[in-house]
Amino acid sequence: MDKVVIFDTTLRDGEQAAGASLNINEKLEIARQLERLGVDVIEAGFPASSPGDFEAVELVSREIRNPIICGLSRAIAGDIDKAAEALKSAKHPRIHVFVSSSDIHIMHQLKKSKEEVLEMAQNMVKRARGYVEDVEFSPMDASRSNPDYIYQMLEAVIDAGATTLNIPDTVGYSIPEEFGQLIAGIFKNVPNINKAKISVHCHNDLGLAVANSLSAVKNGARQIECTVNGIGERAGNAALEEIVMILKTRSDLFDVTTGINTEQIYKTSRLVSELTGFPVQPNKAVIGGNAFRHQSGIHQDGVMKMSRTYEIMDPKTIGLPGSSLVMGKSSGRHAFKERLSELGYNPADADIDRLFIAFKELADKKKEVTDRDIESLVAQEKREGIIAESYKLDRLQVTCGDKGVPTAAVRLICSDGSIIADAALGTGPVDAVYEAINRLVKVPNKLTEFTVKSITEGIDAIGEVLIRIESDGITYTGRGADTDIIVACAKAYLNALNKLLSA
Ligand code: KIV
Ligand code: ZN
């Protein structure tokens, strides 16, 4: 069977999603998980776009050895030089050069002639080949371009040394049959096409990104660009987990395989959701909370008799923790460690000690500690370890009600060990807490999003708060979880402020 190369662009196109902002440590953590997932290519960023992207590509290039590490670049000399520099220590570096090919982009955005654009594409691919052997080229907005112009451009860049030709449906406009025909047309009309691999990059504006990508595979494409949970610019990109599980589940229709270790899918999805602050909708294919839950009596009856009656995939294949073993107050360290490892976490002993203390505290408040609760504890622990914490919540006391004025008293531990405290009034308890923290931390910012949700069912559930704050035009995401929702709010705010301060 042919292999389809899985090109993950979560750290580049995924991070372009409005509101997603990952710091460098978070990017590295995602890259490490993508390596465990077995992706073939990681597009780690767009080095010329910002110093942060440059640093991220440099760090991922240094640390991640198995997949190809790719840096995006416009067809501009300076961009290519920057990408090459950022990729210097990569074991398998790739430069991805793009330029628009549609009339609408060329006339209104680039304001150049088609001949000039063709020349730029060819010259810049040559320049990239001067740095690395592996060069990808994308004619942006290909699906709205004149196919003859695309053929001409692809032939020219193959001659200049491009090894992968990526065909983007940049604005998610195409439909599967049409997109498949575009790919078939390229195979038929580009004379030197056998020297390169065809890739596709589909956006989800009309909900067709996955379908279009698969139609391209049917027509000979052998690389798919996608993102975890389908995040990305506007409505996002083709979802990696859907692509991979369709190719696996319907291998009777697609004679191809991928190198993905599907048992890492669930964990990767949770990590990306956690770090970007984008929750996964319950009915999301493959990894949504309801994807393997059966509600109707007839379905439950069928699944109990034989799972395949209503389940086309085994939840274990995507690494979904299957056990319903309940942990509680009397569970010991050994059982807790076992459960962590069944959930796919293998922390160092010192981290287990801290996690176990947090688990015991939770078990005191909550009768049953579920897998989701444990995942939330690990996430909270990670949040604290992943960024340099300038401030940590020490104590919090709030008074509120329908008569009195909401008041919060907050005590924080600073990174040098000193303790600071203050109190404030607010329009409600959360506002009072944020006011008190603002008086202590003194960093101007604007709260742009605030969401509260419960992680598990029941009145004693852990509540999780997600917030986004903006400072100097940059968005920082913060998360906090606790059985006390006001404490979770304070933790989330401090998490975002610590990210802002460490940036
Ligand atoms: O959507 C797009 O066209 C892109 C290119 C840079 C490949 O992201
Ligand atoms: Zn894109």
Side-chain angles (χ1 to χ4, degrees):
M1 281 205 276
D2 262 6
K3 181 176 169 184
V4 169
V5 169
I6 298 295
F7 177 115
D8 180 276
T9 182
T10 306
L11 297 178
R12 199 278 295 169
D13 218 330
E15 212 226 0
Q16 268 173 239
S21 66
L22 296 164
N23 66 33
I24 191 156
N25 295 331
E26 292 169 331
K27 285 185 184 173
L28 182 61
E29 188 171 0
I30 291 178
R32 290 212 162 102
Q33 181 56 28
L34 290 172
E35 187 175 37
R36 283 191 282 273
L37 178 67
V39 304
D40 302 285
V41 187
I42 295 177
E43 188 163 55
F46 182 174
S49 69
S50 72
D53 257 44
F54 182 90
E55 257 182 77
V57 175
E58 215 178 22
L59 181 66
V60 171
S61 297
R62 244 191 345 262
E63 299 289 325
I64 307 292
R65 303 321 276 167
N66 290 329
I68 294 169
I69 308 299
C70 178
L72 184 68
S73 163
R74 286 171 297 180
I76 292 176
D79 272 31
I80 290 170
D81 301 347
K82 270 242 145 57
E85 199 189 327
L87 290 164
K88 227 171 28 214
S89 21
K91 191 164 169 211
H92 312 288
R94 173 181 293 186
I95 298 180
H96 178 185
V97 183
F98 74 96
V99 70
S100 290
S101 54
S102 64
D103 289 352
I104 188 164
H105 280 207
I106 291 177
M107 276 161 62
H108 300 286
Q109 193 177 14
L110 298 181
K111 299 189 192 306
K112 291 193 186 299
S113 72
K114 286 174 108 170
E115 291 68 35
E116 280 174 300
V117 172
L118 199 64
E119 207 178 302
M120 271 167 80
Q122 194 164 28
N123 288 343
M124 291 307 119
V125 165
K126 258 191 214 138
R127 188 178 187 97
R129 267 310 291 260
Y131 287 113
V132 293
E133 302 259 291
D134 186 348
V135 174
E136 174 168 326
F137 174 78
S138 293
M140 187 155 80
D141 205 17
S143 54
R144 292 192 302 167
S145 305
N146 177 334
D148 289 329
Y149 184 59
I150 298 263
Y151 305 149
Q152 210 186 341
M153 197 177 239
L154 296 184
E155 186 180 353
V157 296
I158 295 174
D159 280 344
T163 44
T164 298
L165 303 174
N166 179 47
I167 311 303
D169 181 21
T170 303
V171 290
Y173 179 71
S174 216
I175 65 164
E177 201 187 356
E178 179 189 36
F179 196 62
Q181 276 164 14
L182 174 64
I183 303 301
I186 290 170
F187 276 108
K188 213 161 124 206
N189 294 292
V190 179
N192 49 0
I193 195 68
N194 60 337
K195 294 196 188 140
K197 195 184 281 289
I198 294 279
S199 164
V200 286
H201 174 113
C202 298
H203 279 269
N204 208 27
D205 299 65
L206 293 172
L208 291 170
V210 169
N212 285 337
S213 306
L214 294 173
S215 172
V217 169
K218 279 271 179 214
N219 285 281
R222 286 295 176 265
Q223 174 177 289
I224 299 183
E225 302 200 353
C226 45
T227 58
V228 175
N229 300 342
I231 62 168
E233 186 82 43
R234 305 182 311 279
N237 290 60
L240 179 148
E241 60 283 356
E242 293 179 24
I243 301 268
V244 169
M245 289 313 289
I246 293 168
L247 293 178
K248 186 177 172 77
T249 309
R250 297 311 310 270
S251 57
D252 55 325
L253 298 179
F254 295 91
D255 211 12
V256 294
T257 121
T258 70
I260 296 295
N261 173 4
T262 61
E263 287 182 9
Q264 291 289 331
I265 285 180
Y266 174 74
K267 206 172 156 210
T268 315
S269 161
R270 299 277 319 146
L271 179 72
V272 169
S273 166
E274 155 75 23
L275 296 182
T276 56
F278 290 143
V280 172
Q281 81 209 47
N283 58 321
K284 166 84 176 61
V286 183
I287 35 94
N290 286 350
F292 293 95
R293 274 177 143 183
H294 305 276
Q295 177 72 15
S296 102
I298 296 174
H299 289 210
Q300 288 177 347
D301 174 62
V303 170
M304 276 189 292
K305 287 176 176 148
M306 205 239 188
S307 61
R308 269 192 294 148
T309 49
Y310 292 93
E311 265 177 11
I312 58 164
M313 295 170 269
D314 180 346
K316 287 198 205 83
T317 340
I318 63 154
L320 198 71
S323 157
S324 54
L325 192 79
V326 174
M327 309 276 300
K329 227 174 156 147
S330 55
S331 307
R333 192 180 182 283
H334 183 71
F336 178 66
K337 190 176 166 188
E338 249 345 47
R339 194 74 206 111
L340 278 176
S341 125
E342 279 158 22
L343 291 171
Y345 303 111
N346 294 300
D349 277 350
D351 295 333
I352 294 180
D353 291 343
R354 273 201 307 278
L355 280 168
F356 188 59
I357 293 170
F359 161 74
K360 281 287 181 185
E361 280 171 5
L362 179 62
D364 267 339
K365 295 181 193 158
K366 217 173 166 270
K367 217 168 113 229
E368 293 180 347
V369 179
T370 65
D371 289 346
R372 293 301 313 277
D373 292 326
I374 295 177
E375 282 172 359
S376 163
L377 290 180
V378 175
Q380 178 75 32
E381 178 73 20
K382 240 188 235 154
R383 272 196 288 274
E384 287 164 11
I386 210 165
I387 45 159
E389 284 201 301
S390 306
Y391 300 97
K392 196 174 162 64
L393 183 67
D394 185 31
R395 292 200 187 156
L396 169 66
Q397 200 180 326
V398 173
T399 8
C400 63
D402 63 346
K403 296 283 185 297
V405 182
T407 314
V410 174
R411 203 162 92 161
L412 304 179
I413 306 176
C414 309
S415 53
D416 62 1
S418 59
I419 288 188
I420 50 175
D422 211 331
L425 307 176
T427 51
V430 176
D431 186 45
V433 169
Y434 283 23
E435 282 303 321
I437 293 178
N438 284 342
R439 289 169 70 100
L440 293 167
V441 176
K442 299 185 181 74
V443 183
N445 70 82
K446 195 169 122 214
L447 183 70
T448 55
E449 195 180 321
F450 178 85
T451 325
V452 185
K453 73 168 194 206
S454 108
I455 290 183
T456 46
E457 290 109 22
I459 198 74
D460 58 356
I462 293 189
E464 193 178 57
V465 174
L466 164 77
I467 67 154
R468 289 187 217 280
I469 58 172
E470 214 180 277
S471 175
D472 284 335
I474 303 176
T475 300
Y476 302 89
T477 308
R479 277 190 171 202
D482 201 280
T483 46
D484 182 321
I485 205 68
I486 304 294
V487 174
C489 291
K491 285 182 179 171
Y493 190 38
L494 283 170
N495 181 233
L497 285 174
N498 280 326
K499 283 186 186 172
L500 190 165
L501 290 165
S502 73

